[in-house]
Amino acid sequence: MKVIFETDDEQLKVLLRSTFFKELVDILNKQSQPTLRQLKTMLGEKIDKRLGQLIEHGIVQRENHRYSLGFPVLEFDERVISVWIERILSEIDEASQVVLLAKLVKRDELIYGIPSDQTFSYTHVVTNGELTILSLSQEEWVLTLPAYFNYLRTDESQQVFSEVQQLIGDVNIQYYLDQIQVILEKIDNGRKLQPSIFLESLKKFGIMDDSFVLLSPVENKNWAPHWLEAFMQLSGGVQRAILGGVLQQLGKTSLTLIQFEEQLF
């Protein structure tokens, strides 16, 4: 089972990404309501505070001194998902339009589980108010610009980001996006680009090739297909499963889209 969560609580994020939480979920998913003593035998003695945090947020339930998962494990109707995948694929003009749909995915559950083999999608967004860069991917940590900056806010170690981390480190996101905006404006005006770590990072993120040609599309308007209202009636989990299936059918592990608040291109 995979656990999907949405929270702005940074302390809770750290806990939910920890090895302790993953091991706890595995135990509670397989074993029927263990006691605290049993949990400590498997996870170690110093778990009371972390268990307390999870109980406080309703992620773990405690009843009669026994523990169980407090969040739902979603089941998906693959027929419904297949119909939606076909509908979306039949009406998009460009693959990048799928990323615009990802902007609309509901964040209607704090946390839920999904089957380990379920096709799914993850969205990452960074913005400075004028420039917004979005990515949609089949896995949470894929080498995209928005995913990298969200990754920096975790205490995880992901090999996929090692090269770009050596290049730009933990540069301030607002400053970084300001520099990227300058680069994109120079491209639009046909001005010469000077070598820089910012320019090199765009190549590593797959946004630009070695000839300084943009590989990620620039979009200045939202996409509103006739079935959008029906899509918005689906749960956030189903929406993400559909978009993951669309990416799979397109043969894409990820897509990145650049948006400007004002028309530049």
Side-chain angles (χ1 to χ4, degrees):
M1 179 178 69
K2 295 180 185 177
V3 178
I4 310 299
F5 62 87
E6 299 280 352
T7 178
D8 294 324
D9 186 327
E10 295 298 327
Q11 186 177 14
L12 181 59
K13 278 183 183 178
V14 171
L15 179 55
L16 295 180
R17 293 189 187 280
S18 68
T19 301
F20 161 76
F21 180 68
K22 293 173 183 175
E23 291 177 349
L24 176 64
V25 167
D26 189 54
I27 292 168
L28 297 182
N29 189 42
K30 294 177 180 178
Q31 187 169 329
S32 178
Q33 297 185 318
T35 64
L36 181 59
R37 179 177 294 180
Q38 289 171 323
L39 289 177
K40 286 186 174 182
T41 298
M42 293 178 277
L43 297 170
E45 289 291 324
K46 298 180 179 180
I47 64 173
D48 297 81
K49 182 177 179 180
R50 287 172 289 179
L51 264 180
Q53 288 177 281
L54 295 171
I55 292 169
E56 181 182 344
H57 287 282
I59 296 169
V60 169
Q61 291 184 334
R62 179 178 57 202
E63 187 174 356
N64 297 325
H65 305 291
R66 292 185 174 273
Y67 296 79
S68 61
L69 295 176
F71 57 85
V73 179
L74 303 186
E75 295 183 359
F76 297 88
D77 187 332
E78 292 300 331
R79 293 171 299 177
V80 171
I81 291 174
S82 294
V83 168
W84 270 103
I85 291 172
E86 291 179 13
R87 180 180 293 178
I88 292 172
L89 288 173
S90 68
E91 297 201 25
I92 60 174
D93 298 316
E94 296 181 4
S96 60
Q97 289 174 314
V98 178
V99 187
L100 294 176
L101 284 179
K103 284 182 64 179
L104 305 175
V105 167
K106 294 177 183 176
R107 270 66 178 175
D108 52 4
E109 295 277 0
L110 167 65
I111 184 168
Y112 53 87
I114 63 172
S116 297
D117 59 352
Q118 177 66 49
T119 303
F120 212 64
S121 63
Y122 299 82
T123 305
H124 295 280
V125 183
V126 291
T127 184
N128 65 359
E130 296 180 359
L131 170 65
T132 299
I133 303 179
L134 312 92
S135 68
L136 177 70
S137 58
Q138 291 191 56
E139 299 294 336
E140 184 172 15
W141 299 126
V142 176
L143 186 55
T144 70
L145 189 156
Y148 174 70
F149 282 97
N150 285 340
Y151 158 74
L152 289 179
R153 297 166 62 189
T154 75
D155 63 350
E156 293 191 39
S157 177
Q158 296 287 339
Q159 187 64 29
V160 68
F161 298 119
S162 59
E163 281 191 29
V164 75
Q165 195 162 13
Q166 290 178 8
L167 180 67
I168 61 175
D170 59 351
V171 59
N172 178 272
I173 180 59
Q174 298 300 314
Y175 176 72
Y176 178 87
L177 289 177
D178 289 345
Q179 299 304 308
I180 300 308
Q181 189 167 340
V182 170
I183 290 173
L184 295 174
E185 290 173 349
K186 285 184 177 180
I187 293 174
D188 183 46
N189 295 323
R191 294 163 59 190
K192 185 177 180 181
L193 296 173
Q194 298 296 327
S196 69
I197 60 171
F198 303 102
L199 194 59
E200 187 63 29
S201 70
L202 290 181
K203 297 178 187 177
K204 291 189 179 297
F205 287 127
I207 291 176
M208 179 180 291
D209 67 13
D210 291 336
S211 301
F212 308 124
V213 174
L214 284 177
L215 301 176
S216 295
V218 177
E219 179 64 61
N220 296 290
K221 59 182 182 300
N222 289 318
W223 179 45
H226 65 87
W227 41 258
L228 183 59
E229 185 175 347
F231 182 78
M232 294 307 299
Q233 296 302 313
L234 302 170
S235 72
V238 172
Q239 289 173 338
R240 293 175 68 173
I242 291 167
L243 295 181
V246 171
L247 283 178
Q248 189 176 66
Q249 290 297 312
L250 290 170
K252 302 284 188 180
T253 56
S254 66
L255 290 169
T256 299
L257 183 69
I258 300 168
Q259 280 195 306
F260 286 96
E261 195 66 30
E262 297 182 0
Q263 182 78 28
L264 290 181
F265 286 73

